[in-house]
Amino acid sequence: MEATRRRQNPGAAGGPGAQLGASFLHGSVSADEAARTAPFHLDLWFYFTLQNWVLDFGRPIAMLVFPLEWFPLNKPSVGDYFHMAYNVITPFLLLKRLLYCL
C-alpha cells in the first residue's frame, strides 16, 4: 500500500512558507510585498485628524463661544450638534476607506 502525502498550503500558519501578515492576504504574497504595495491613505488620515480636532476638541470651545440663549434647554446644545455631526461624518469616511480597499 502506498503512503499518501498531503500537500501543505505554503501560507498556512506554522507551515514552512508561513509569513507574518500572510494570514489575511493571499498565501503567496510575502510580508515585504504586502508592505510595499499597501498605500498609507494620507487623505483619510488628514480627514480623520481634522474631524477629531474640530468636532471633538472644538465642541467645548463652541459651547463657550455661542450664547446659551441660542440653545434653550428643550433643544440640543451646540455640543450636541457637533457630536451629531461627528457621528454622521465618520461612517462616510470609513465607507471611503472601505471603497479604497476594493
Side-chain angles (χ1 to χ4, degrees):
M1 190 177 248
E2 218 177 285
T4 59
R5 238 176 50 178
R6 292 179 55 188
R7 289 179 47 185
Q8 280 188 330
N9 185 3
Q19 296 171 353
L20 181 63
S23 61
F24 64 90
L25 297 171
H26 299 293
S28 62
V29 177
S30 70
D32 293 333
E33 290 174 3
R36 201 172 337 131
T37 59
F40 178 64
H41 300 298
L42 184 65
D43 58 338
L44 289 175
W45 179 85
F46 174 73
Y47 293 147
F48 277 118
T49 304
L50 181 69
Q51 176 194 21
N52 192 20
W53 276 91
V54 170
L55 296 179
D56 270 355
F57 296 129
R59 185 170 54 180
I61 296 168
M63 291 177 72
L64 292 173
V65 171
F66 290 106
L68 290 176
E69 294 82 30
W70 289 5
F71 304 99
L73 293 177
N74 61 346
K75 303 282 186 196
S77 69
V78 66
D80 294 332
Y81 286 117
F82 272 49
H83 190 71
M84 285 185 255
Y86 190 89
N87 289 335
V88 168
I89 294 169
T90 301
F92 288 109
L93 289 176
L94 291 173
L95 181 64
K96 183 176 181 180
R97 170 67 178 106
L98 179 68
L99 293 178
Y100 266 138
C101 292
L102 297 178

